[in-house]
Amino acid sequence: MNDAGTQGMRVIQAGPLAMIEDGGRVGVRHLGVTQSGAADWVSLYWANWLLGNAPDSAALEIVVGGGLTLEVERATRLALVGADLDARLDDTPLVPGASFAVREGQRLVFRQPRDGLRSYLAFPGGLEAPEVLGSRSTTPRERLGGLHGDGQPLKVGDRLAWRGGPADERRIPTGVLPPMPRPGCRLALVPGAQIAEFTGASLYAAFNADWRVDDRADRMGVRLRGPRLRCRLGSMISEGIPLGAVQVPPDGQPIVLLNDRQTIGGYPRLGALTPLAAARLAQCLPGQEVRLVAVSRERAVADYRWVMRNFSDGGPASR
């Protein structure tokens, strides 16, 4: 679908999961269409900020790396933020959190996770791809968006295009880019309508025990392993599911629902992770330990606004 005059990069080897993602689809859940968009939206926004793009511009979300190899066909400046996937430009290691110049003929390779799970590669002006329901985001389950509009990840031979010119070099101010999550990292959760239906022992365990990220984790949701939680509710009428919703199915093991989640669900919920906590969880590798921490809605909104002010101001915002 790309105009040959705007092509700038070719896929030489496709990793396990490299997809075009932007800020996601807004206002379509009543159609049964999920939000999609970058799982770690904070890293996406900073990658775009480095190039002077709109924060939600389309970029590559690269999971694990797995040998994804891109060959440069047009010189420009790119930006890489998020996980350290042992990325190299030819033989030069790339440190996430900065922009860098590329020349025609160079190869960009993503090997394997060294710190975090998802890396975001931004391009001047954002990647070109067809808009589907207002977004370029790739959603494999619904076969929507992406480079060809069919919801498929990148494959060998695909060509990437962008319409912006090389940007001036920018540096992310010290102290505003969140580090990759560490073992025992705290995930803020706003309690939900059904929280009082869980037993006292379950509530104590939910917020005082370590939870381990299960192998069953993807863009739809992340299962947490730990103490069994018990809820007094029986059947429920299905209701809308927000980003970060923490559902508890009958086996008592929570499932945190992320960007490609279903739009409705009928399991009781502890509440929902804040958008910032959902982005942190999206960077956790299987086996990593996390802690749930209850916060008020007001605190969650204040933290979100502080982060958003950093993008607009380009520097640390006062709390």
Side-chain angles (χ1 to χ4, degrees):
M1 50 76 59
N2 294 325
D3 181 340
T6 64
Q7 291 172 359
M9 190 167 284
R10 181 164 60 99
V11 180
I12 302 300
Q13 179 177 331
L17 202 60
M19 303 188 295
I20 294 177
E21 299 292 345
D22 57 18
R25 294 184 174 84
V26 179
V28 294
R29 279 185 284 171
H30 67 289
L31 302 175
V33 177
T34 195
Q35 168 187 342
S36 196
D40 179 1
W41 61 272
V42 179
S43 291
L44 170 75
Y45 278 27
W46 277 119
N48 279 317
W49 182 89
L50 283 167
L51 299 182
N53 297 343
D56 59 353
S57 297
L60 276 189
E61 179 180 275
I62 303 161
V63 183
V64 176
L68 172 69
T69 304
L70 307 171
E71 184 174 80
V72 180
E73 297 181 324
R74 179 159 61 104
T76 191
R77 178 169 287 274
L78 308 177
L80 183 66
V81 179
D84 182 351
L85 302 183
D86 194 15
R88 295 174 182 265
L89 182 63
D90 291 339
D91 293 325
T92 302
L94 295 174
V95 178
S99 66
F100 56 97
V102 295
R103 303 187 308 273
E104 183 178 348
Q106 289 188 301
R107 290 194 173 187
L108 181 57
V109 181
F110 295 84
R111 300 185 178 188
Q112 60 185 357
R114 298 171 65 179
D115 191 13
L117 184 63
R118 291 177 165 88
S119 195
Y120 292 85
L121 183 66
F123 299 76
L127 280 173
E128 285 291 311
E131 278 199 6
V132 181
L133 295 175
S135 171
R136 295 178 171 85
S137 287
T138 309
T139 313
R141 183 169 58 91
E142 295 174 352
R143 299 182 182 179
L144 296 176
L147 186 63
H148 304 290
D150 58 0
Q152 295 304 303
L154 295 188
K155 60 182 183 297
V156 173
D158 279 343
R159 278 184 158 85
L160 302 175
W162 56 91
R163 296 196 179 274
D168 294 335
E169 186 174 358
R170 278 180 157 187
R171 297 182 184 276
I172 297 175
T174 302
V176 299
L177 183 64
M180 289 295 101
R182 296 289 178 256
C185 74
R186 296 157 66 89
L187 302 177
L189 177 149
V190 178
Q194 291 104 39
I195 193 164
E197 301 298 334
F198 288 87
T199 66
S202 291
L203 290 179
Y204 182 86
F207 297 106
N208 289 278
D210 289 324
W211 295 95
R212 192 175 298 275
V213 175
D214 193 73
D215 291 340
R216 288 169 288 181
D218 55 24
R219 285 179 47 85
M220 185 175 178
V222 175
R223 183 180 288 268
L224 302 179
R225 285 293 183 189
R228 183 177 180 180
L229 304 183
R230 300 180 184 276
C231 182
R232 289 181 284 265
L233 283 177
S235 59
M236 282 181 54
I237 297 174
S238 292
E239 56 187 12
I241 299 294
L243 176 67
V246 182
Q247 289 190 329
V248 182
D251 68 359
Q253 301 296 279
I255 301 172
V256 184
L257 297 177
L258 298 180
N259 298 64
D260 288 359
R261 65 195 180 279
Q262 70 273 24
T263 56
I264 60 173
Y267 292 135
R269 297 184 310 212
L270 283 174
L273 296 189
T274 68
L276 296 172
R280 286 175 65 79
L281 180 61
Q283 290 289 7
C284 291
L285 289 160
Q288 185 162 335
E289 289 185 346
V290 298
R291 281 253 179 159
L292 300 178
V293 179
V295 299
S296 68
R297 177 182 178 276
E298 291 74 18
R299 172 63 185 273
V301 170
D303 289 347
Y304 177 81
R305 287 176 174 169
W306 180 80
V307 169
M308 295 304 294
R309 284 200 302 273
N310 283 319
F311 295 125
S312 60
D313 298 343
S318 59
R319 285 186 180 271

